[in-house]
Amino acid sequence: MNAPLPPIQKILEGLHAELMENRGGEVATYIPELGKADPEWFGVCLVTADGQVYQVGECGQQFTIQSISKPFVYGIALDDHGKDAVLEKVWMEPSGEAFNAISLRPGTGKPANPMINAGAITSNSMVAGDGVEEVVGRIKQVLGTYAGRELTIDESVYRSESETGHRNRAIGYMLRNFDILEEDPTDCLEAYFMQCAISVNCRDLGMMAATLANGGVNPCTGKRAVSRQHVENILSVMGSCGMYDAAGEWIYNVGMPAKSGVAGGILAVLPGQLGIGVFSPRLDPCGNSVRGIEVCRGISRKFGLHMFQVPQLSTSVLRRVGSLMQTRSSRLRSKAQTRKLKESAGMVRVLELQGDLNFGTAEFAMRQLTEDAAGVRELVLDFAHVTRLDSSATGVLSLAFASWLESGRRISICRCERFPSLREIIEAEASDLSDKAEFFDDMPAALEEVENRILEEAGLRRHSSERVGLECCYLLEGFTVKELEFIRGVLEPVAFPEGSSLMNVGDEPDGMYFLMRGKASAWITTEGGLQRRVATFSPGMNFGEMGLLDDSPRSAEIRADSDLETLKLTKDGLRKMGTDVLATLLANLTRILADRLREANAELSQLHS
């Protein structure tokens, strides 16, 4: 039995088979070499923003990129000179005229936009390089980064374009006349002809589109092709001007920024999601691939990909909202400390976010911070389950954080290392309050620090560097002085240096430990290979007791976070204890485990389904 086709592949193959019967349009012949194309060639390639490729038909067939090169060369000009300098030469409004019109904007003399020939020639002139060879080499290199492979020029098409490019030469001299081009246009025009004659295939177009969808980074190679800040400028002119005289109809029906070329290619981008490349040489009167338009329209309709489709606001961005009553650190506390933290639970708000954060979802999440927040002094915010954070969400968050800090509250931000822009903008917005905003690698560490501040203020914090006596050990509560002296006699003092492992997963149990001075942590490894701290021990606590009681292998690794002083209870020591001592010990252990289970249940109840 054959494996079922992935749904995307099935849709593409269905569209390809259906549109093979569409033989409308004509192959372009005004550049003689283009007229040699087989009108039956037809390829479709869809590449997701994370690099998954779906393709059908002649996706390896080479053809020349033609005008599809225009947005990419415009991006090079933006990178080389910046947006303001480029806008001094090329504007960004639809022209209302043919792509090869010999006209400029009245009053300014600028080309209307970079997608018409006048604007594209100007963009080419702004590519940094000394002479035609350097400029074209740079263009090939950048377009190759988009495509993920080295690209070459089709010399026969280049010669054909150069020999018949009289109208483009007229545009070039017009640009020189208005000082848009500052030198003789000959070299710039030859570089432009070569730019249009770069040879690509349908898969290349799909990958180039996906690179734009991925913020300018090729999703398969990880190499950046254009600065992220300029991707929106490129996509904007593609959306308004990329499909020749059919740009308005295209954005209305398909709803994705796109660019077509007279060799039969179309490239379309859905930002943050996917890129589409289509190749079919037959063109409509506007110069766009007939089958290409229908493919993109079909994909957009079948998957609801129109960029202006209004999404429903998702409230599932909140994975958990709570206080210290439901969410605590992994540090185990004494009865008095636990009681104080419960009494002070309302002073702390814990917010775990998930999914994609945009303006709407970030605003909804931040709204939860201000509701009934009069008594809240500490905010703990976790980004571990956030998959995407766009610039609008970053702006909303940074303003909300600045407002909280200015009101005298503190913020602890956890696991946002995948979103460096968040930290940068927060530090910029509230630089004078940076001592009240802290960043943590994990949630338990942030919660522990918050708890420590509360306990410090109440005079209940016990520093791990302080040595305690047996009477302070939670497991030994209720024992008389005489019983504690007896227990001390069966315990063995053991010291561990900072950084050492006291026990590892799978070790045979050789005893349990009472921690008298220092700090230790319990770690497990998840199925995904990530290490997670599940408990932190301070003086007066114990660990390793389960293996001692049921003789099972160790289920976690215990690490010394500082130099440790411990007292070890071995199996022999346990056997020396009388029935009454052992019964009290087991009763205390049952109580401690029950308390931990209640806390775990309270935490789980806060997770949003």
Side-chain angles (χ1 to χ4, degrees), residues 385-552:
H385 301 280
V386 173
T387 52
R388 182 172 174 268
L389 180 70
D390 71 14
S391 58
S392 65
T394 302
V396 170
L397 294 174
S398 65
L399 291 172
F401 294 161
S403 177
W404 267 71
L405 293 172
E406 288 165 2
S407 69
R409 295 171 169 89
R410 299 185 64 94
I411 298 177
S412 300
I413 301 169
C414 312
R415 297 184 282 193
C416 72
E417 61 277 358
R418 289 175 295 118
F419 312 110
S421 60
L422 179 63
R423 182 167 187 163
E424 292 167 4
I425 198 167
I426 289 172
E427 291 177 343
E429 291 281 347
S431 57
D432 56 333
L433 299 169
S434 58
D435 60 318
K436 294 184 180 296
E438 295 182 82
F439 294 84
F440 295 87
D441 293 334
D442 61 67
M443 184 79 150
L447 289 168
E448 182 177 335
E449 192 63 29
V450 169
E451 292 170 357
N452 285 342
R453 281 195 287 269
I454 294 172
L455 296 174
E456 187 84 50
E457 190 175 287
L460 292 173
R461 184 180 177 188
R462 176 184 291 163
H463 292 270
S464 59
S465 59
E466 298 175 10
R467 184 182 291 103
V468 300
L470 280 180
E471 68 279 2
C472 295
C473 293
Y474 311 150
L475 192 55
L476 300 179
E477 288 184 3
F479 286 98
T480 66
V481 173
K482 185 177 180 179
E483 287 171 332
L484 288 175
E485 285 302 313
F486 169 77
I487 293 171
R488 187 188 302 278
V490 300
L491 300 177
E492 301 176 4
V494 184
F496 296 93
E498 180 179 352
S500 61
S501 290
L502 287 67
M503 57 184 71
N504 292 290
V505 176
D507 286 353
E508 291 300 318
D510 60 348
M512 64 169 287
Y513 297 84
F514 293 92
L515 182 56
M516 313 310 292
R517 187 176 69 85
K519 181 179 174 183
S521 297
W523 295 79
I524 62 171
T525 302
T526 66
E527 291 184 2
L530 297 175
Q531 292 197 326
R532 180 185 176 194
R533 179 170 56 179
V534 293
T536 301
F537 307 98
S538 53
M541 298 179 181
N542 52 274
F543 47 83
E545 65 277 356
M546 298 308 296
L548 181 65
L549 295 176
D550 65 5
D551 206 33
S552 60

Side-chain angles (χ1 to χ4, degrees), residues 198-276:
I198 290 175
S199 183
V200 294
N201 58 42
C202 191
R203 190 183 191 280
D204 293 333
L205 291 189
M207 191 62 68
M208 295 168 83
T211 298
L212 286 174
N214 192 41
V217 175
N218 184 299
C220 291
T221 67
K223 293 181 179 179
R224 178 165 289 283
V226 65
S227 299
R228 187 180 190 92
Q229 63 180 323
H230 294 140
V231 172
E232 64 183 55
N233 306 128
I234 296 170
L235 294 177
S236 295
V237 294
M238 287 172 63
S240 61
C241 315
M243 295 299 288
Y244 299 128
D245 296 341
E249 182 182 356
W250 170 273
I251 210 70
Y252 186 92
N253 289 320
V254 180
M256 294 183 230
K259 187 70 193 84
S260 60
V262 293
I266 290 181
L267 174 148
V269 180
L270 188 60
Q273 297 192 54
L274 56 88
I276 300 171

Side-chain angles (χ1 to χ4, degrees), residues 4-19:
L5 281 176
I8 308 299
Q9 186 68 32
K10 187 174 182 180
I11 291 294
L12 294 188
E13 292 190 6
L15 283 170
H16 186 271
E18 174 187 338
L19 292 171

